[in-house]
Amino acid sequence: MSLSRRQLLAAAALGGAVTTLGLPAARAEGRVLGAGDHEYEELTRRGYNRRFQARPAKIYLPTTTEEVRTAVARSVAEGTRIAARSGGHCFDDFVDHAATRSLIDLSRIDAVYWDERLRAFSVGAGADIGTVYDALLRNGGVTVPGGICLGVGMGGHLCGGGYGPLSRRHGLVADHLAGVEVVTVDADGAAKVVLATPDGPDRDLWWAHTGGGGGNFGVVTRFLLRSPGADGTDPAAALPKPPGGMLSTRLIVPVTTEESFVRFVGNYLGFFERHSAPGDEFTGLYAPLMIRTTGTAAAELLVLLDADAPDARARLDAFVTTVTDGVFPPAIPTPVAQLSYPDTVRQVYYAKGPSELRVKVKAAYLRTAYSPDQLRIFYRYLTDPRFLGESQLEFLPFGGAINAVPADATAMPARDSFMTMLIHAAWRQPAGDDRFLRWAREMYRDVHADTGGVPVPGDTYGGSYINYPDPDLADPAWNTSGLPWHAFYYRDNYPRLHRIKTDRDPGNVFAHQLSIGRPEWEPIR
């Protein structure tokens, strides 16, 4: 069921008040904080990456859409750069930049409820993934295929596409976006609230938020979630049903030699490359792999599998046998557990918590597995004794139902890949910045040496994921492919995104290092 034009006009007439329909008791009025106020320091440190910390002149703490609109209007009138924060998990300085003078903290806009009039779940942009899972289960016994890190905010997660343990079966979170409420700024500098849906007059703005990245077109205040084709007034039929139960185990793999590393990671990548098609018998399997810099490239493989199929345990065993074949020393498994889906989320997914790490990430979508020579490059960097610590290489399964959607149906175009690779360099002291940044950059460059040091979209790679942002892709010193940064994140969808940006944010009020419309090689000032 799509929102009718009559419903859209009614919502528009209500303006910012539309978000209050069906909500529980409203919170206290929002506040505006300055450097001397209580909570200011805490709020400036909500960002995940300790390399960056903004010192805004004002931090807005709105509790309603109208308060967000007012914050944007005041910031525009004062000529200050705006950044919005949801969960605070942006890996780079899109929010925590020295130029940020107005920080709109959306953490108080976190209500999740069934909107009876619009027949969709309303999700506040400040809600974290764990809150969303809990509310959807309580209010309809449904879920969305979101991330495994429960503390990540929906505002950034969904705008970049959003994926996690159930995505190989149910697609991206953005594939279930039925509407988005966003505060935009027109050519006259006026801030207004727009409710954009797939079949309404603001369809392009809706589409831009299905993978176009956060901080590009305005400040999102809430999302409407309902699966394509869902109809009626029953919340239990609006979104996917989760598995009744899930199997889980962990494999600790002490890959003490280069050959063992190549064998194990090669087995792992090869399995998911073979089982990446929509409808494959293993689409209920999600198994993120983390390889830490401990000196021996110690690997931990978390295995999650839909337990509803009668042969689920046999499938799990087949996967474990395949990925550990020929690996020595052998993997050390934990006992296989079978829990309900809610208990799996609570006990196995990653709990939210503060971070004191300084971080640099670099990512790639894979369409074919890395070669043994490329895996050897990874191994040499991971086992370099100068970089022992908290950094890791991650592989995160993709494909399945994600790849059943046309590349231009949403703004996120990577509908042809089977895996995401993520280099997650992490350290604690500023003195390590240059050393660890170079480690991550040189590893990434050397692995992708045949394509200009970057994962050029084509037969081998699918580009990269905007929620793992890397401004190095806009730096010709590290991207020698000749392709602009946006070719990696948006591919052929970029011209449309650029047109929407020009139309919806003509004054370029919303800008960051990789925002739509930025010059290809020019850093933000």
Side-chain angles (χ1 to χ4, degrees):
M1 191 277 296
S2 298
L3 300 183
S4 69
R5 184 169 179 80
R6 178 177 57 79
Q7 289 172 310
L8 284 169
L9 291 173
L14 287 169
V18 69
T19 58
T20 66
L21 295 176
L23 279 171
R27 278 183 161 164
E29 187 175 339
R31 293 175 291 153
V32 183
L33 305 179
D37 290 321
H38 179 62
E39 289 188 76
Y40 177 89
E41 292 297 332
E42 178 185 352
L43 290 169
T44 62
R45 291 179 58 83
R46 280 192 64 222
Y48 174 81
N49 192 345
R50 293 276 73 83
R51 286 174 58 209
F52 311 112
Q53 184 176 349
R55 303 292 300 180
K58 295 178 181 177
I59 299 179
Y60 292 89
L61 277 171
T63 61
T64 67
T65 295
E66 177 56 25
E67 289 174 355
V68 174
R69 191 201 64 78
T70 298
V72 171
R74 289 176 179 172
S75 300
V76 171
E78 293 166 0
T80 56
R81 183 189 169 208
I82 301 170
R85 171 171 285 156
S86 176
H89 286 77
C90 183
F91 283 128
D92 221 274
D93 65 353
F94 293 3
V95 175
D96 287 308
H97 193 280
T100 298
R101 305 305 296 153
S102 293
L103 176 57
I104 302 176
D105 187 300
L106 300 167
S107 58
R108 274 67 169 172
I109 300 181
D110 61 352
V112 181
Y113 63 97
W114 175 251
D115 189 317
E116 294 184 358
R117 186 173 58 81
L118 297 178
R119 290 191 257 183
F121 281 98
S122 176
V123 175
D128 61 43
I129 293 173
T131 297
V132 173
Y133 289 153
D134 181 64
L136 294 181
L137 286 169
R138 284 188 290 103
N139 291 288
V142 295
T143 193
V144 286
I148 197 170
C149 298
L150 300 180
V152 171
M154 287 294 286
H157 183 62
L158 196 154
C159 288
Y163 75 96
L166 300 185
S167 289
R168 285 167 46 81
R169 176 153 291 178
H170 297 298
L172 302 176
V173 183
D175 294 337
H176 303 271
L177 182 64
V180 58
E181 184 179 80
V182 55
V183 177
T184 62
V185 178
D186 65 20
D188 296 324
K192 61 180 181 179
V193 180
V194 179
L195 181 63
T197 62
D199 64 347
D202 300 293
R203 183 180 190 278
D204 270 357
L205 189 62
W206 162 82
W207 181 86
H209 286 87
T210 61
N216 275 313
F217 309 98
V219 179
V220 173
T221 53
R222 70 162 174 163
F223 303 99
L224 297 176
L225 298 182
R226 186 185 57 247
S227 298
D231 201 351
T233 60
D234 183 4
L239 288 169
K241 291 286 187 184
M246 297 189 77
L247 299 175
S248 64
T249 184
R250 282 182 168 84
L251 299 182
I252 308 302
V253 187
V255 280
T256 55
T257 68
E258 185 174 302
E259 291 308 313
S260 178
F261 178 87
V262 171
R263 179 78 180 205
F264 173 62
V265 181
N267 288 348
Y268 171 85
L269 294 178
F271 180 93
F272 280 104
E273 184 178 7
R274 293 190 298 274
H275 295 284
S276 63
D280 184 90
E281 62 177 322
F282 283 96
T283 54
L285 172 70
Y286 185 74
L289 173 61
M290 292 166 285
I291 306 163
R292 296 183 175 86
T293 52
T294 63
T296 60
E300 179 178 323
L301 180 63
L302 171 63
V303 185
L304 292 165
L305 181 65
D306 180 342
D308 289 352
D311 60 348
R313 180 57 192 264
R315 291 183 186 178
L316 185 147
D317 292 342
F319 169 71
V320 171
T321 298
T322 298
V323 298
T324 59
D325 180 51
V327 176
F328 187 84
I332 303 168
T334 63
V336 176
Q338 180 166 346
L339 301 170
S340 68
Y341 173 74
D343 284 342
T344 300
V345 170
R346 285 191 290 266
Q347 299 179 34
V348 183
Y349 282 27
Y350 307 144
K352 64 180 178 180
S355 170
E356 294 301 322
L357 297 175
R358 304 173 74 82
V359 169
K360 173 64 179 176
V361 301
K362 302 181 78 68
Y365 287 125
L366 305 186
R367 298 195 64 201
T368 62
Y370 283 122
S371 70
D373 285 344
Q374 289 173 302
L375 296 180
R376 293 179 197 282
I377 293 170
F378 277 126
Y379 181 82
R380 288 195 290 272
Y381 276 93
L382 291 168
T383 57
D384 187 329
R386 296 172 297 172
F387 299 96
L388 303 184
E390 297 170 277
S391 299
Q392 60 190 33
L393 172 68
E394 300 179 28
F395 290 100
L396 306 156
F398 218 62
I402 298 171
N403 293 356
V405 177
D408 61 354
T410 64
M412 205 293 285
R415 304 294 186 156
D416 52 12
S417 303
F418 76 93
M419 184 69 63
T420 307
M421 182 282 298
L422 177 67
I423 295 170
H424 187 279
W427 63 101
R428 291 183 180 267
Q429 299 301 322
D433 285 4
D434 290 345
R435 188 163 56 96
F436 280 92
L437 286 171
R438 183 162 290 278
W439 176 81
R441 286 165 168 163
E442 291 182 350
M443 180 183 352
Y444 192 75
R445 177 200 63 194
D446 292 353
V447 166
H448 304 111
D450 290 344
T451 51
V454 289
V456 171
D459 293 339
T460 304
Y461 308 113
S464 193
Y465 180 40
I466 192 58
N467 280 0
Y468 302 152
D470 179 14
D472 292 345
L473 290 177
D475 185 344
W478 297 106
N479 172 10
T480 61
S481 70
L483 288 181
W485 65 267
H486 51 75
F488 298 87
Y489 294 116
Y490 303 119
R491 291 160 50 171
D492 292 341
N493 288 341
Y494 187 73
R496 182 178 177 187
L497 285 167
H498 193 281
R499 289 193 298 272
I500 298 168
K501 173 72 170 179
T502 301
D503 179 52
R504 297 293 178 164
D505 184 21
N508 199 32
V509 171
F510 305 99
H512 53 71
Q513 298 279 37
L514 297 177
S515 56
I516 304 296
R518 289 204 61 77
E520 293 177 9
W521 307 114
E522 180 182 314
I524 193 169
R525 302 293 182 189

